[in-house]
Every structure is written in C-alpha cells, then in structure tokens.
Amino acid sequence: MGLYIILMGVQGAGKGVQAGFIQKEYGIPHVSTGDLFRAMKSREDELARRVQDLMSKGLLIPDDVTNDIVRDRLEQPDAANGVILDGYPRSRNQAEWLQAYLEGRGEKLTRVLLLELNLFEAFKRAFGRVSTAEGKSYNIYSNAEGMEWEFVDHPEKAYPPQLTAKLAGTDTVLIRRADDANAHSIIKRIDTYLETTMPLVEFFEGEGLVARIDASRSIASVSQQIKQVIDATR
Ligand code: AMP
C-alpha cells in the first residue's frame, strides 16, 4: 500500500513547509496541481493556452483536465509509493474521481490532513509578512525583532494604509509578496478556501479520513503531530 496524503489548509497554515517535511520523512513526492499547471507555461499547445487563460483570471481549471494531469503525475515512477497532494482535490467531482482511480489501482487514500488555523491568524500571517531579497522573513505581528515598520497613507487614501518596512538601523527595504500586499486579495483567498475546501472537509469527514492538526503551533510541533497521525494510520 502506498501513502496517499491530502494536505488541506488555508493559505498561511504552512502547507508548503509541512509538505517538505512529509516528503523528506516518508520519501514520497509533493504534488501541487498549481505547480503542475504553472509548469505548462512554457508549452505552446491549445490546452496549455487554455490553462494559462483560466489561471490568469483566477478561475479553476475544469475537472477533467485537472484529473488527467493528476493521473499522469501519479503514474510517474517516483510516485510509485504514494504522494502528498496539495491544492487537489478542489471539488467533489475531483475527490470522487481520485478515490475511484486509487481503488482501481488497489490503493486508497491514507489520510486527509487538515492544517487548522484561526482565519484572523491566517490573515495576519499573510498581511504582516515581509522579507529580505535573500528570503529571510519577518512578520510585523509575530516576528518583528530586527526590523522597523510603519503604515503610510495610501496614495488614494484607501484602507488599509500601506505597510513599509526595513531592516532596523539600515536603509534595506523589506519586500512584501504582491499577493500579500493587498488586504482585499488575502480576504478573497480566505473566502475561496471557505467556499471550496470546507465542503470537501465534510465529504472526507464522512469517509472517516480527516485528521485535524493544530497549525498555530511551531513548525516542529506541527510536523510532530503530522508524523504521529501518519504513523498511526500506516
Ligand atoms: P494554487 O497554486 O494551488 O493556488 O493554484 C493556482 C491555480 O491553478 C488555481 O487558481 C487554478 O487556476 C489552478 N488549479 C490548481 N489546482 C487546481 C484544482 N485542483 N482544480 C482546478 N484548478 C486548479
């Protein structure tokens, strides 16, 4: 039996970091459908163009296209012992397709790990995050030592004011990710999570597959919780 793990959680819950942990600990690849679709950018065919168009509008890719790309990925040699799925499934149809597909291969889903984080905390993790050009990150709410920050009025007096930050005692400006710099787009992402992911959590709960992980704790503690759940399931 392979290890088929679905990782779910609001943006900021630490899915990327924990996928890295699981990958290292259990030797199964991290499969992110968002990454698979982004990798199609260099292709010139009709399907790749359609995917690009939908992604640029923030729309979901049709289920049949998405299921096909997942099947191709699951059939690669490095996925022979299972995978960590991230960003997939995103609809009931995808969830049912995945279960039927695995069943057809004599496999089944091992666990759905739900990284639970209070949504205001998730907002602050994204909104308050700044980093150096080298990638060292800070947060105005939780990790502000060594930096200076202030809110400056928005040019159009829009709310909230803009956050500017620099390394303490220097002129080195700290950078915000474009998608974090806008409070409205963070809230939109949280809304989308509530609309698309929460119904799937209910679905998988009905199948007895969901394990709730407290994602407000330290990275190491979250990894520990994940390891306990996986080891108890295998
Ligand atoms: P992500 O990086 O997971 O936020 O995904 C980026 C984009 O890829 C999404 O906005 C969708 O356009 C597309 N995408 C990723 N995963 C899926 C999925 N499971 N179903 C449909 N579209 C997806």
Side-chain angles (χ1 to χ4, degrees):
M1 272 287 176
L3 263 187
Y4 293 89
I5 310 275
I6 293 177
L7 208 47
M8 283 184 172
V10 68
Q11 197 151 18
K15 277 183 296 175
V17 174
Q18 297 304 337
F21 165 76
I22 302 170
Q23 176 161 7
K24 236 168 105 193
E25 187 73 19
Y26 298 97
I28 53 174
H30 173 201
V31 172
S32 147
T33 40
D35 285 350
L36 292 174
F37 286 132
R38 276 184 287 276
M40 287 170 81
K41 238 185 207 155
S42 51
R43 281 174 30 183
E44 284 293 326
D45 54 291
E46 178 57 34
L47 178 64
R49 268 196 292 272
R50 195 166 142 225
V51 165
Q52 280 307 306
D53 180 51
L54 289 167
M55 279 180 85
S56 67
K57 293 179 179 146
L59 297 172
L60 289 179
I61 312 301
D63 286 337
D64 55 341
V65 176
T66 307
N67 293 338
D68 275 356
I69 205 171
V70 168
R71 178 181 30 231
D72 281 354
R73 184 64 188 90
L74 293 183
E75 290 176 0
Q76 300 297 313
D78 67 328
N81 295 320
V83 287
I84 310 148
L85 290 164
D86 170 6
Y88 180 91
R90 272 217 198 20
S91 69
R92 175 76 177 253
N93 175 302
Q94 291 179 6
E96 287 174 351
W97 179 87
L98 176 67
Q99 285 193 309
Y101 171 76
L102 289 177
E103 204 176 309
R105 284 178 45 169
E107 297 280 1
K108 62 180 170 55
L109 280 175
T110 311
R111 269 303 204 179
V112 175
L113 302 177
L114 177 62
L115 301 189
E116 286 193 302
L117 185 66
N118 169 291
L119 295 180
F120 185 49
E121 191 56 40
F123 176 85
K124 290 193 292 184
R125 283 191 186 182
F127 186 72
R129 170 165 55 191
V130 288
S131 63
T132 62
E134 294 75 35
K136 179 169 168 37
S137 70
Y138 295 85
N139 191 297
I140 64 167
Y141 299 109
S142 56
N143 180 22
E145 202 174 318
M147 68 181 266
E148 292 163 4
W149 60 275
E150 61 176 340
F151 281 117
V152 293
D153 272 351
H154 199 277
E156 287 103 44
K157 298 276 180 252
Y159 188 83
Q162 284 177 334
L163 169 64
T164 61
K166 54 184 189 158
L167 283 181
T170 74
D171 288 328
T172 307
V173 174
L174 295 168
I175 315 156
R176 293 176 90 194
R177 268 169 44 173
D179 54 348
D180 286 345
N182 181 329
H184 299 284
S185 75
I186 299 171
I187 292 170
K188 176 88 185 80
R189 285 187 331 240
I190 294 176
D191 274 346
T192 307
Y193 165 77
L194 289 173
E195 278 163 28
T196 58
T197 307
M198 291 325 274
L200 283 177
V201 170
E202 271 170 41
F203 170 73
F204 284 124
E205 221 146 35
E207 311 266 309
L209 285 170
V210 177
R212 293 173 182 268
I213 308 285
D214 179 358
S216 69
R217 304 220 217 133
S218 69
I219 291 176
S221 155
V222 174
S223 301
Q224 205 47 43
Q225 293 175 67
I226 289 176
K227 185 167 163 46
Q228 274 171 8
V229 167
I230 296 179
D231 290 348
T233 315
R234 294 178 93 187

